[in-house]
């Protein structure tokens, strides 16, 4: 979500780096949550419509769609398990997140979980 607030924010730069240099895995569950969160009326004053549309369009253009088959229950916030399931299904080497419920798991099953700022400086 941070990538939709300010055009030169750290989350936005991390998102652009990922789009330019990585394979970005996406599942239907993750996509649906992203669209729902970005369209919440209470967040409308923070989310810039043009940036929201740019993020969603970029994701559609670059995403590798994956259908996770293995259930995961390792995250203390159960609704975030979908990100871990996606990482497993796509054989990801890292997850970029600002969510503390995910960050406390780093590393998780050999997968790094990095803040956007750490991802920007990672090789």
């Amino acid at each position: 979500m941070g990538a939709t607030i300010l055009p030169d924010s750290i989350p936005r730069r991390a998102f652009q780096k990922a789009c330019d240099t990585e394979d970005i895995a996406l599942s239907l569950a993750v996509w649906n949550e992203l669209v729902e969160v970005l369209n919440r009326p209470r967040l409308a004053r923070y989310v810039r419509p043009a940036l929201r549309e740019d993020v969603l369009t970029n994701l559609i253009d670059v995403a590798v769609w994956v259908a996770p088959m293995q259930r995961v229950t390792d995250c203390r916030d159960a609704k975030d398990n979908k990100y871990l399931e996606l990482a497993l299904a796509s054989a990801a080497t890292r997850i970029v997140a600002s969510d503390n419920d995910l960050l406390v798991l780093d590393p998780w099953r050999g997968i790094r979980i990095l803040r956007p700022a750490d991802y920007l400086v990672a090789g």
Side-chain angles (χ1 to χ4, degrees), residues 2-33:
T4 66
I5 296 173
L6 294 172
D8 195 40
S9 66
I10 289 172
R12 178 64 181 192
R13 288 185 295 168
F15 175 73
Q16 280 308 134
K17 176 183 174 182
C19 286
D20 294 343
T21 64
E22 309 278 354
D23 288 330
I24 300 176
L26 196 57
S27 68
L28 187 57
V30 169
W31 173 258
N32 287 341
E33 181 179 45

Side-chain angles (χ1 to χ4, degrees), residues 41-96:
R42 66 185 170 104
L43 299 178
R45 64 181 164 172
Y46 303 109
V47 175
R48 293 181 178 201
L51 291 179
R52 177 186 55 221
E53 295 310 314
D54 186 54
V55 165
L56 296 175
T57 299
N58 278 335
L59 276 176
I60 289 291
D61 289 344
V62 302
V64 175
W65 289 87
V66 177
M69 303 302 264
Q70 184 177 353
R71 300 284 299 162
V72 172
T73 58
D74 296 348
C75 191
R76 64 188 183 194
D77 183 349
K79 69 180 175 19
D80 289 336
N81 283 316
K82 70 175 94 17
Y83 299 99
L84 303 176
E85 293 167 355
L86 176 59
L88 276 182
S90 64
T93 58
R94 58 187 153 201
I95 298 170
V96 179

